[in-house]
Amino acid sequence: MTLFDKIKKVSKERGYSIAEVERKAGISANYLYQWKKREPSPKSLASVAKVLGVSVDYLLGTDDKPSTTNEPVDLDKALSEEGIAMFDGKPLSEEYKKALLAMLRANKNSGE
């Protein structure tokens, strides 16, 4: 699989078009298509990897395990698991968990 093919695959998994990835990475339109025939700059490659939430090594095919930073998380499940919902070494109260969930959902829905 080529670098461009890998980026296209991960973009689709993340729900992004190639144009969205380019915009979010701060690179010019259609620049990713040029990667079919030439090597990207390290800075541009790192920007694309960050947008997609994977490592540069994963995009280059030298690592089979992608980072999980942009993968969907079930917030209710994550906050209900033992030991995950803690602050300063102490479990969060149910009231605080509810407020945290509300803030995270509001932030997600606002597009930030």
Side-chain angles (χ1 to χ4, degrees):
M1 182 178 293
T2 68
L3 173 61
F4 178 80
D5 291 334
K6 181 78 93 162
I7 291 169
K8 187 175 177 181
K9 176 183 175 282
V10 176
S11 297
K12 185 176 181 181
E13 290 170 358
R14 302 289 193 251
Y16 298 141
S17 68
I18 292 295
E20 286 176 300
V21 172
E22 290 169 331
R23 183 181 52 77
K24 288 176 181 273
I27 58 179
S28 59
N30 298 315
Y31 185 55
L32 287 177
Y33 290 98
Q34 295 175 20
W35 294 6
K36 291 179 180 182
K37 295 184 179 182
R38 69 179 198 147
E39 301 255 339
S41 73
K43 182 180 177 183
S44 295
L45 182 58
S47 294
V48 169
K50 184 176 180 180
V51 167
L52 296 176
V54 297
S55 68
V56 169
D57 288 334
Y58 179 74
L59 290 179
L60 294 175
T62 58
D63 188 352
D64 291 337
K65 186 178 179 216
S67 170
T68 59
T69 57
N70 282 348
E71 290 187 19
V73 173
D74 181 341
L75 295 173
D76 294 304
K77 182 179 177 188
L79 287 176
S80 68
E81 291 179 15
E82 190 66 33
I84 289 182
M86 298 183 76
F87 178 75
D88 228 9
K90 299 173 188 161
L92 299 178
S93 69
E94 289 303 314
E95 183 178 303
Y96 192 87
K97 286 180 189 179
K98 287 178 185 177
L100 182 59
L101 279 170
M103 287 186 291
L104 290 169
R105 286 189 180 117
N107 188 37
K108 180 182 175 186
N109 293 335
S110 71
E112 294 179 7

